[in-house]
Amino acid sequence: MKNEKILILGACGQIGVELTLALRQTYGNDNVIATDIREEHPLLHGTGPYVVLNAMDAAATHELIKKEAITQIYLLAALLSATGEKDPKRAWDINMQSLLQVLDLGVQEKLHKIYWPSSIAVFGPTTPRDNTPQQTIVEPRTVYGISKYAGELWCQYYNQRWGLDVRSLRYPGLISWKSEPGGGTTDYAVEIYHEALKNGSYTSFLSENTYLPMMYMDDAIRGTIELMEAPADKIKSRMAYNISAMSFSPKEIAAAIKYHIPDFRMDYAPDFRQQIADGWPKSIDDRAARGDWGWQHEFDLNRMTNEMLKHLKEKMQLA
Ligand code: AKB
């Protein structure tokens, strides 16, 4: 078993649940302390230590780091793009304060590594939208995107100024059957599978030809752990890496579902999230991640659709 003691902040969110379970398999259940402001997620129950903790509470976080002799932190607590637009100042406070505290604690306690997720939301309407490069025009228009871009710059700053080993990925929309998404613009691509199985229909809040970069959660979790385990000299970007797997529109995901559920019906009623999606990339150039530390995706739209429908059917006891 690897000799690290890991603290997860925000373990009950969409990424947190699956990342905690995967890290517990690699590092041992007792070596991964899961925390969140909410009650423990049912899937984490009985799999290892759990503490109710607000990621904004620096003193309590510091105490836990010392008590548990923590060596690595994964900071996943955040408000996402759609929720963030409803209360921009709160989104800024949560997203930035938690990151700056963790970076400071990382320096103070000489932590081995820190992981903090960024997002395709760092890009904006002036960014080239097809095959968006690793380095390009970056003018985010959502508070979530602004906080992610500022956060990337802070990560790079702490790495250069204090030698802190902080690593990050710009996640596309993440699709999972185990844990629920939490207030993003790409959430439609998860909801659609649930509704297809429950009701045989779905009304998309994005228009039919809105292409966005997406990824199956298994790929995202494996990629995150591979990034964190890569030798430090392979990590050339101390901001965040573009990573990509697939790109599709609501019309295309509907067609992939229709292949399994021929009567599935899709309607469209775009809302405020359409404008957010219209400012984001359609597809991502992730050659830097592939070249520097060997990133590779495994799931495309059809393979992911098979998995999502199979697992959700079992979960919903429809199989
Ligand atoms: C969102 O839609 O806000 C997130 C993201 C792309 O970071 N899923």
Side-chain angles (χ1 to χ4, degrees):
M1 207 56 76
K2 295 170 186 165
N3 201 12
E4 297 284 350
K5 197 86 188 269
I6 297 176
L7 175 64
I8 318 256
L9 300 168
C12 295
Q14 191 197 14
I15 304 170
V17 170
E18 299 210 30
L19 196 49
T20 302
L21 294 172
L23 288 168
R24 282 184 172 157
Q25 281 201 340
T26 312
Y27 291 89
N29 290 349
D30 291 341
N31 292 326
V32 180
I33 319 289
T35 74
D36 203 296
I37 196 167
R38 340 167 212 189
E39 261 179 39
E40 188 176 28
H41 191 284
L43 286 177
L44 296 182
H45 198 65
T47 67
Y50 187 78
V51 178
V52 174
L53 176 72
N54 180 351
M56 305 265 280
D57 186 340
T61 308
H62 195 181
E63 208 172 294
L64 193 59
I65 292 171
K66 286 199 288 192
K67 180 168 160 244
E68 296 290 346
I70 294 297
T71 61
Q72 295 190 10
I73 296 184
Y74 287 67
L75 168 58
L76 306 172
L79 288 199
L80 300 188
S81 57
T83 317
E85 289 312 288
K86 294 184 183 149
D87 194 344
K89 298 245 170 57
R90 185 163 163 261
W92 174 259
D93 285 346
I94 293 179
N95 295 0
M96 292 317 297
Q97 189 181 323
S98 57
L99 175 63
L100 290 172
Q101 282 172 189
V102 163
L103 293 175
D104 279 337
L105 290 170
V107 174
Q108 208 174 328
E109 293 302 323
K110 300 189 173 44
L111 298 186
H112 299 169
K113 281 176 205 171
I114 288 173
Y115 180 77
W116 173 81
S118 186
S119 160
I120 55 160
V122 296
F123 300 115
T126 51
T127 301
R129 295 187 69 198
D130 293 304
N131 267 328
T132 301
Q134 172 71 33
Q135 282 176 310
T136 181
I137 301 166
V138 179
E139 293 180 337
R141 297 281 166 89
T142 60
V143 68
Y144 174 64
I146 297 171
S147 71
K148 286 295 175 191
Y149 193 56
E152 287 191 14
L153 290 164
W154 276 115
C155 290
Q156 178 174 256
Y157 182 83
Y158 272 69
N159 174 262
Q160 287 174 350
R161 176 124 193 217
W162 310 109
L164 190 64
D165 190 347
V166 47
R167 305 180 183 197
S168 182
L169 297 173
R170 289 176 183 148
Y171 290 127
L174 298 180
I175 295 153
S176 57
W177 59 270
K178 282 190 194 155
S179 44
E180 307 70 34
T185 304
T186 57
D187 291 8
Y188 92 87
V190 180
E191 289 169 7
I192 192 171
Y193 289 108
H194 288 260
E195 294 301 312
L197 288 169
K198 252 194 279 169
N199 304 323
S201 65
Y202 180 64
T203 302
S204 169
F205 57 75
L206 297 183
S207 63
E208 60 181 346
N209 290 320
T210 308
Y211 280 85
L212 286 172
M214 300 279 185
M215 184 178 289
Y216 190 47
M217 188 60 88
D218 289 29
D219 273 342
I221 299 297
R222 186 179 43 75
T224 305
I225 296 177
E226 283 173 8
L227 172 81
M228 287 298 275
E229 295 194 337
D233 64 347
K234 299 264 184 221
I235 310 301
K236 310 264 193 275
S237 170
R238 290 299 179 162
M239 291 191 59
Y241 277 99
N242 280 6
I243 51 164
S244 105
M246 60 185 110
S247 174
F248 57 76
S249 63
K251 193 171 165 186
E252 286 178 354
I253 189 174
I257 291 174
K258 235 173 155 32
Y259 178 81
H260 298 269
I261 307 173
D263 292 336
F264 175 65
R265 215 190 73 229
M266 182 83 153
D267 295 306
Y268 299 91
D271 66 14
F272 73 101
R273 289 167 281 193
Q274 183 67 45
Q275 201 188 349
I276 301 178
D278 287 342
W280 283 357
K282 293 181 180 169
S283 58
I284 293 284
D285 178 344
D286 61 358
R287 276 175 297 173
R290 289 176 194 265
D292 287 359
W293 49 276
W295 158 247
Q296 280 184 332
H297 72 279
E298 287 177 4
F299 287 84
D300 61 12
L301 176 57
N302 290 333
R303 187 168 171 211
M304 176 178 79
T305 299
N306 287 340
E307 292 280 307
M308 285 294 288
L309 293 175
K310 183 177 106 197
H311 291 297
L312 282 177
K313 256 190 217 163
E314 286 161 7
K315 195 173 163 189
M316 295 157 88
Q317 293 176 334
L318 298 170

